[in-house]
Amino acid sequence: MQSKWNKNKVWFCILILGMLTAIALSYYGMVNSGKTRRIHKVSVIVNDSGSERWIAMRQGIEQAADDCGIDINYATTGNFQSFEEELAVIRREFDNGAEGVIVQFTAAGAEDDAVRFLAGSPVMLLESDIEPQEVCPLTAPDNYALGCALAEAFLAEGEALGERVGVLYEAAGEEAEQNVPYPAMQDRLAGVRETLGGAGIETAWELALTPDVPPEEAAAQLAGLPADAVLALGNNAAEAAVDYLQGKDGEGKWALYGIGCSGKAVYYLDRGEIQSLVVPDEFKMGYQSVANMARRLQYPLSEMESSAVDYLVVDRDNLYDADRQKQLFPLVQ
């Protein structure tokens, strides 16, 4: 009996010792994890950083930053007028301690020396308008597919044949060549033209809007243009078209279809000013760009890869469907 009691005490002591060892190891791990895990600093540079069109993307960026241990800094910017202006901001961020930069280029005119600088730095392009294949990896939607989807949304109305269709796209500002669409816009425009052409429709006009054009001037450009429907190939173009349509009733008012993601665009879709909206998955775009950058900084010999994000087509009939609400307002769910 005494031998059995002693044996039980030995096993009990071993159990207690094991528990104490596990607790000590867990505590040591928690205390030292903050010391061994390095927080990397990453800057995000987008055109007109204060625009609400970046809200969903910022939510994705911040979620990934929390998950991956990244310290995010948003560079304060206005509307970039040239590649050199944006490149100067990138250099400034690196000089200020950024280990990586996630950047959206909206200005054409990249020189060879600048391209080589980008290619040799931890830079991820985000929905950018320069060709990424020989420069840096790109996280973005398929712009040609966006254009096709927009034209298909218009054709789905069933009354498209014979209608006059206008197209609004976004182009460079004062310091760059005027009326030349950014490469992303060129791809969207190609998708629109081919899809409409397949249905026997040619565009009645195609108008470039530059970021430095004030709303009243944009309205003056739109006034009098003959159209039954207008396809806006970007968020800024869609918002400019909505601003123009305000106050118009009947004559001079046309059906509007757009590519966009801002709260303003969704609001006017809900009100019926926009018939359909093609919405890129901006949350996923922001999340993937940070996750890829975090992997690159944690494992310097690894390479970042380009990735495409999805999109969805929203109209008043499906705006409040659960899956569309989840993509439009990802962190409100």
Side-chain angles (χ1 to χ4, degrees):
M1 185 70 178
Q2 184 68 29
S3 174
K4 184 177 181 180
W5 171 248
N6 290 337
K7 186 176 181 181
N8 288 341
K9 285 198 298 183
V10 170
W11 281 110
F12 180 75
C13 291
I14 292 174
L15 177 62
I16 294 298
L17 181 61
M19 292 175 63
L20 291 175
T21 301
I23 293 172
L25 289 174
S26 298
Y27 177 77
Y28 179 83
M30 287 188 296
V31 169
N32 287 276
S33 61
K35 297 178 181 178
T36 58
R37 185 183 186 185
R38 182 182 174 193
I39 302 298
H40 297 283
K41 296 181 179 180
V42 174
S43 290
V44 177
I45 304 169
V46 295
N47 191 58
D48 190 13
S49 59
S51 172
E52 68 167 17
R53 67 141 299 183
W54 301 117
I55 290 177
M57 191 193 71
R58 288 184 67 142
Q59 290 175 340
I61 286 173
E62 288 160 11
Q63 182 66 60
D66 288 341
D67 293 345
C68 301
I70 295 293
D71 181 13
I72 292 291
N73 173 62
Y74 294 99
T76 302
T77 64
N79 284 311
F80 289 115
Q81 300 299 325
S82 69
F83 181 85
E84 289 72 20
E85 180 184 349
E86 199 159 3
L87 189 62
V89 178
I90 295 176
R91 294 183 185 277
R92 184 194 69 196
E93 293 302 312
F94 277 122
D95 290 343
N96 289 339
E99 298 170 72
V101 169
I102 297 170
V103 58
Q104 179 227 15
F105 275 111
T106 58
E111 301 295 334
D112 289 342
D113 289 344
V115 168
R116 281 195 290 271
F117 166 74
L118 292 176
S121 306
V123 174
M124 166 68 75
L125 302 181
L126 184 71
E127 197 188 57
S128 290
D129 293 313
I130 64 174
E131 295 298 330
Q133 285 80 3
E134 298 180 1
V135 186
C136 299
L138 170 70
T139 303
D142 182 330
N143 287 293
Y144 177 81
L146 290 182
C148 292
L150 181 63
E152 288 167 359
F154 163 66
L155 294 173
E157 293 295 313
E159 300 178 357
L161 294 179
E163 291 192 352
R164 298 167 298 176
V165 183
V167 175
L168 285 177
Y169 62 87
E170 297 169 15
E174 288 182 350
E175 296 183 21
E177 188 175 356
Q178 291 284 340
N179 299 329
V180 175
Y182 300 127
M185 290 291 155
Q186 292 176 6
D187 291 341
R188 295 179 187 185
L189 189 56
V192 165
R193 287 171 176 167
E194 183 166 328
T195 304
L196 292 180
I201 299 174
E202 292 186 4
T203 58
W205 48 264
E206 296 172 357
L207 176 65
L209 292 178
T210 58
D212 51 312
V213 172
E216 59 275 10
E217 187 174 334
Q221 289 178 299
L222 290 168
L225 289 175
D228 300 302
V230 168
L231 310 185
L233 304 190
N235 196 84
N236 292 340
E239 291 188 359
V242 162
D243 291 340
Y244 169 75
L245 290 175
Q246 296 308 296
K248 290 191 173 296
D249 188 16
E251 185 178 356
K253 192 164 187 176
W254 20 258
L256 176 60
Y257 301 78
I259 297 173
C261 56
S262 69
K264 181 177 179 178
V266 174
Y267 171 76
Y268 282 105
L269 173 70
D270 192 27
R271 286 191 54 178
E273 296 286 355
I274 298 177
Q275 308 305 310
S276 294
L277 199 62
V278 179
V279 184
D281 192 340
E282 299 262 320
F283 180 91
K284 187 175 181 181
M285 186 165 63
Y287 190 98
Q288 284 187 347
S289 64
V290 173
N292 287 338
M293 179 63 73
R295 193 177 303 112
R296 166 69 168 77
L297 295 176
Q298 186 176 1
Y299 305 103
L301 296 181
S302 65
E303 294 184 1
M304 292 186 290
E305 296 181 353
S306 295
S307 59
V309 299
D310 295 328
Y311 62 88
L312 55 84
V313 180
V314 187
D315 56 32
R316 294 186 73 188
D317 294 333
N318 61 28
L319 174 59
Y320 291 100
D321 290 355
D323 59 337
R324 284 163 174 78
Q325 285 287 300
K326 184 177 181 180
Q327 182 164 319
L328 290 170
F329 311 105
L331 295 188
V332 180
Q333 308 306 310

